[in-house]
């Protein structure tokens, strides 16, 4: 029996087509060893997605690691001669920690690297191949492009402290306008500099039009040079580049990327399936003067393309915005805000046993979930938007965009303890909390050694009964603390309900989301 491409899964079909695409473009297959000397990753830790790797002692007594990254191995082995450009593609398994499973997971990648004399022609070729790589999937896709130079030049021009830059970049990547501006003001930036930094979040849309809009926000020569490079690239791509979106808030890791950065999204997959950019800094650790550009496709994410559509998932789901609301008072308040913005459901969700209610005219669909699950539904793409407390977002570390601070449910995360408590720094501080990650991060930032005691309720009892020295918990009015002879020792995180978005949905439903957010802001202003 003769096999047809349709007999293979989406991932298998994509792998075969990508291999043909890359070999026709002159890229040679690179085969990596499953194991590398651990020293390679130890010495280049800042270029890894995660510093945690699995290590073992080989039979020769050397410490080795299961490969967590392909690009490092290629950069180490390429060693191009002056003026030479080496081009490789690969299909490999890597091993990285999984935040969701709390263990290491194997990840299938296919990608390409261009190392050595990388000029404008090579940049255009790599980006064209990224576009063509997404096209072989035969589903709606979006490729977004940015340039690290536009952001870093602005940070240089306004004199941002290097210690503050990673946090500002993180807030840019999360599209968190409210905290970005607050953090910039705390860093001592002028009002004009804060405005220009916040304006980067608005520079999103079709490549040519957004480039023109970005010109009006240039504050220095470095930003203009970044836009000139993007414009030249746009011209080199010609009609093929018309589908590219520009998002200048797509700021990569400053330690890794130094020029172009880009990400690819597929309709129906909740995360980016393609990531890439220019990484000259890493290439030059192995070959002085070399440049490098490449990308990887995450094949495991494409498995979702094989998932059959259920009766609960309508065929017109791309025209709807699915919103996860938290059960309880916060959910009622959030729904009230959305209803005031013109997005009320056709029936009262509190008066029905339906799990999903909708407004067909407005194109929105609501479902109620446990507050701690809202971010999970959004991150995994079951919901496009959600309303979640800042405490839940920080504790879960959900990979979502934080688009709006609604101001609802305001309270604060605090350290509290018995009145007159004095910290004995000669021993580990015993901290009771249900917010383990938040508490750990807070005390790690201060260099304080702690023992965490995880509790799920009645946190105030812990110091009263001597189970802990202090607690880390949410405080709204402080009444419970006062009635139990406890007091706030430190406030360290303001909390309120935030509107969050799935990163892929944001690309495919940008107009609907933007219209909804604008109306929410109008309702909040009233």
């Amino acid at each position: 029996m003769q096999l047809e491409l349709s007999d293979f899964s989406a991932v298998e079909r994509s792998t075969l087509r990508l291999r043909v695409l890359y070999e026709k473009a002159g890229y040679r297959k690179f085969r990596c060893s499953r194991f590398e000397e651990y020293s390679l990753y130890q010495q280049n830790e800042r270029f890894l997605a995660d510093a945690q790797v699995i290590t073992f002692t080989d039979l020769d007594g050397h410490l080795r690691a299961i490969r967590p990254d392909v690009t490092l191995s290629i950069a180490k082995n390429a060693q191009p001669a002056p003026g030479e450009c080496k081009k490789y593609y690969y299909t490999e398994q890597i091993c990285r920690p999984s935040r969701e499973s709390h263990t290491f997971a194997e990840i299938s990648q296919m990608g390409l690297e261009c190392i050595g004399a990388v000029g404008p022609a090579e940049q255009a070729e790599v980006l064209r191949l990224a576009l063509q790589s997404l096209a072989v999937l035969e589903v709606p896709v979006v490729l977004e492009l940015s340039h690290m130079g536009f952001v870093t030049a602005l940070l240089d021009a306004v004199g941002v402290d290097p210690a503050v830059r990673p946090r500002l970049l993180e807030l840019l990547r999360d599209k968190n306008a409210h905290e970005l501006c607050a953090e910039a003001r705390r860093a001592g930036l002028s009002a004009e500099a804060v405005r220009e930094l916040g304006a980067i979040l608005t520079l999103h849309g079709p490549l040519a039009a957004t480039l023109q809009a970005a010109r009006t926000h240039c504050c220095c020569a470095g930003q203009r040079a970044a836009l000139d490079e993007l414009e030249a690239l746009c011209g080199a791509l010609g009609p093929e580049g018309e589908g590219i979106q520009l998002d200048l808030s797509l700021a990569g890791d400053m330690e890794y990327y130094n020029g172009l950065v880009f990400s690819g999204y597929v309709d129906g997959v909740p995360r980016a399936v393609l990531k890439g950019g220019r990484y000259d800094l890493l290439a030059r650790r192995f070959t002085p003067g070399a440049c490098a550009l490449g990308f990887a496709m995450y094949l495991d994410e494409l498995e979702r393309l094989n998932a059959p559509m259920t009766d609960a998932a309508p065929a017109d789901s791309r025209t709807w915005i699915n919103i996860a609301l938290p059960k309880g008072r916060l959910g009622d308040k959030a729904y009230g805000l959305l209803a005031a913005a013109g997005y009320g459901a056709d029936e009262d969700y509190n008066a029905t046993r339906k799990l999903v209610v909708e407004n067909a005219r407005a194109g929105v669909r609501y479902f109620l979930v446990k507050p701690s699950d809202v971010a999970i539904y959004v991150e995994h793409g079951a919901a496009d938007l959600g309303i979640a407390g800042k405490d839940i977002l920080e504790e879960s570390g959900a990979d979502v965009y934080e688009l709006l601070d609604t101001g609802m449910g305001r309270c604060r995360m605090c350290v509290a303890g018995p009145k007159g408590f004095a910290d004995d720094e000669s021993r580990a501080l015993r901290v009771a909390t249900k917010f383990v990650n938040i508490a750990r991060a807070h005390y790690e930032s201060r260099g304080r050694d702690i023992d965490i005691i995880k509790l799920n309720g009645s946190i105030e009892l812990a110091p009263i009964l001597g189970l802990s020295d202090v607690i880390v918990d949410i405080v709204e009015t402080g009444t419970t603390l006062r009635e139990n002879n406890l007091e706030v020792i430190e406030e360290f995180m303001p909390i309120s309900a935030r509107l969050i978005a799935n990163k892929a949905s944001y690309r495919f439903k940008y107009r609907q989301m933007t219209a909804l957010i604008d109306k929410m802001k109008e309702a909040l202003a009233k």
Side-chain angles (χ1 to χ4, degrees):
M1 183 178 69
Q2 185 176 358
L3 288 175
E4 302 290 339
L5 270 179
S6 57
D7 296 323
F8 294 91
S9 70
V11 173
E12 291 167 334
R13 291 196 303 271
S14 300
T15 302
L16 291 170
R17 288 168 172 163
L18 291 172
R19 179 174 178 177
V20 171
L21 174 65
Y22 301 155
E23 289 190 351
K24 281 187 175 180
Y27 286 74
R28 295 189 298 113
K29 186 163 187 177
F30 185 92
R31 295 188 182 276
C32 293
S33 167
R34 182 172 173 78
F35 313 121
E36 283 275 13
E37 291 278 356
Y38 173 62
S39 59
L40 174 67
Y41 306 119
Q42 188 179 37
Q43 293 165 9
N44 297 281
E45 182 179 305
R46 67 193 181 104
F47 295 106
L48 295 176
D50 194 296
Q52 291 181 291
V53 296
I54 297 177
T55 60
F56 65 96
T57 302
D58 209 344
L59 297 178
D60 59 6
H62 291 155
L63 186 62
R64 300 189 188 278
I66 298 178
R67 187 181 59 250
D69 182 86
V70 178
T71 303
L72 258 172
S73 297
I74 294 179
K76 181 189 76 170
N77 288 285
Q79 302 290 312
E84 181 185 18
C85 184
K86 290 193 172 182
K87 300 177 179 181
Y88 301 102
Y89 79 93
Y90 60 86
T91 306
E92 297 287 349
Q93 297 281 115
I94 60 172
C95 190
R96 289 179 183 171
S98 168
R99 178 176 56 80
E100 295 166 345
S101 65
H102 302 287
T103 185
F104 282 86
E106 280 197 321
I107 300 170
S108 298
Q109 284 187 340
M110 189 168 189
L112 57 83
E113 310 293 347
C114 186
I115 300 178
V118 178
E122 287 75 21
Q123 286 203 145
E125 177 186 70
V126 169
L127 203 60
R128 187 177 293 112
L129 286 169
L131 279 167
Q132 293 170 351
S133 297
L134 292 172
V136 304
L137 303 177
E138 298 179 331
V139 292
V141 298
V142 171
L143 183 69
E144 285 195 331
L145 179 65
S146 186
H147 197 297
M148 281 298 300
F150 189 81
V151 176
T152 55
L154 175 61
L155 299 181
D156 289 340
V158 299
V160 175
D161 187 333
V164 179
R165 294 188 182 204
R167 176 59 176 161
L168 294 179
L169 281 173
E170 178 187 359
L171 294 171
L172 270 173
R173 286 195 297 269
D174 291 344
K175 302 193 183 298
N176 190 337
H178 43 282
E179 290 191 22
L180 174 66
C181 293
E183 190 73 31
R185 284 191 289 268
R186 282 194 292 270
L189 273 65
S190 67
E192 182 181 356
V194 172
R195 280 195 303 274
E196 289 302 330
L197 192 59
I200 292 176
L201 292 171
T202 68
L203 300 176
H204 176 277
L207 181 55
T210 309
L211 272 172
Q212 186 175 357
R215 293 283 184 190
T216 66
H217 289 278
C218 283
C219 300
C220 58
Q223 287 186 296
R224 286 188 286 273
L227 295 181
D228 288 343
E229 186 177 337
L230 289 171
E231 192 162 7
L233 184 59
C234 179
L237 290 171
E240 284 185 278
E242 291 178 2
I244 295 178
Q245 299 281 304
L246 183 63
D247 183 356
L248 288 170
S249 69
L250 184 66
D253 187 335
M254 290 179 71
E255 295 282 1
Y256 195 98
Y257 294 117
N258 63 292
L260 295 175
V261 287
F262 48 93
S263 295
Y265 292 84
V266 172
D267 191 20
V269 179
R271 302 181 181 91
V273 301
L274 182 150
K275 292 182 181 179
R278 184 135 184 177
Y279 57 94
D280 299 349
L281 302 178
L282 172 60
R284 289 169 186 171
R285 291 179 68 86
F286 303 100
T287 308
C291 300
L293 182 69
F295 62 82
M297 291 193 71
Y298 294 82
L299 301 179
D300 298 313
E301 296 291 346
L302 301 181
E303 294 286 357
R304 295 174 182 268
L305 298 179
N306 287 329
M309 184 172 288
T310 66
D311 293 338
D316 64 346
S317 61
R318 285 192 65 216
T319 67
W320 290 77
I321 293 182
N322 299 303
I323 304 176
L325 295 178
K327 293 179 179 178
R329 286 185 303 165
L330 179 58
D332 291 339
K333 289 181 180 179
Y335 175 77
L337 172 61
L338 287 158
Y343 290 87
D346 295 334
E347 56 188 312
D348 182 358
Y349 67 80
N350 283 318
T352 179
R353 295 184 65 85
K354 289 183 179 179
L355 300 177
V356 179
V357 295
E358 61 188 40
N359 179 336
R361 297 180 306 281
V364 294
R365 185 179 288 119
Y366 297 102
F367 49 93
L368 291 175
V369 298
K370 189 176 179 181
S372 58
D373 290 342
V374 170
I376 297 172
Y377 276 87
V378 175
E379 180 177 7
H380 289 268
D384 303 308
L385 296 173
I387 301 286
K390 182 64 175 178
D391 54 317
I392 290 172
L393 298 178
E394 288 293 320
E395 183 64 19
S396 67
D399 187 21
V400 295
Y401 287 142
E402 189 176 320
L403 302 179
L404 179 67
D405 182 355
T406 68
M408 296 183 296
R410 288 200 185 279
C411 50
R412 63 250 195 232
M413 188 69 69
C414 298
V415 177
K419 289 185 177 179
F421 172 78
D423 187 3
D424 180 2
E425 296 187 358
S426 66
R427 61 174 178 83
L429 183 69
R430 292 174 299 152
V431 181
T433 185
K434 64 179 177 180
F435 301 102
V436 172
N437 294 325
I438 290 175
R440 183 180 292 117
H442 173 64
Y443 281 105
E444 281 181 354
S445 69
R446 303 179 58 174
R448 182 69 172 95
D449 185 27
I450 63 171
D451 288 331
I452 291 183
I453 302 165
K454 187 179 186 326
L455 296 176
N456 294 309
S458 301
I459 308 295
E460 294 85 0
L461 267 176
I464 294 173
L465 300 180
L467 178 62
S468 72
D469 299 312
V470 296
I471 63 173
V472 169
D473 202 10
I474 292 172
V475 175
E476 189 170 359
T477 64
T479 301
T480 304
L481 293 177
R482 289 190 295 272
E483 290 181 353
N484 289 281
N485 204 35
L486 303 174
E487 64 181 1
V488 172
I489 298 171
E490 180 185 5
E491 296 181 11
F492 65 91
M493 181 192 297
I495 294 170
S496 56
R498 312 296 170 91
L499 178 71
I500 60 175
N502 174 265
K503 291 190 171 183
S505 297
Y506 184 81
R507 270 79 189 176
F508 292 100
K509 302 181 181 181
Y510 178 75
R511 289 184 180 178
Q512 298 104 302
M513 286 188 183
T514 301
L516 183 147
I517 292 168
D518 288 343
K519 290 178 181 177
M520 286 180 69
K521 289 178 178 177
E522 290 175 8
L524 285 170
K526 295 177 183 178

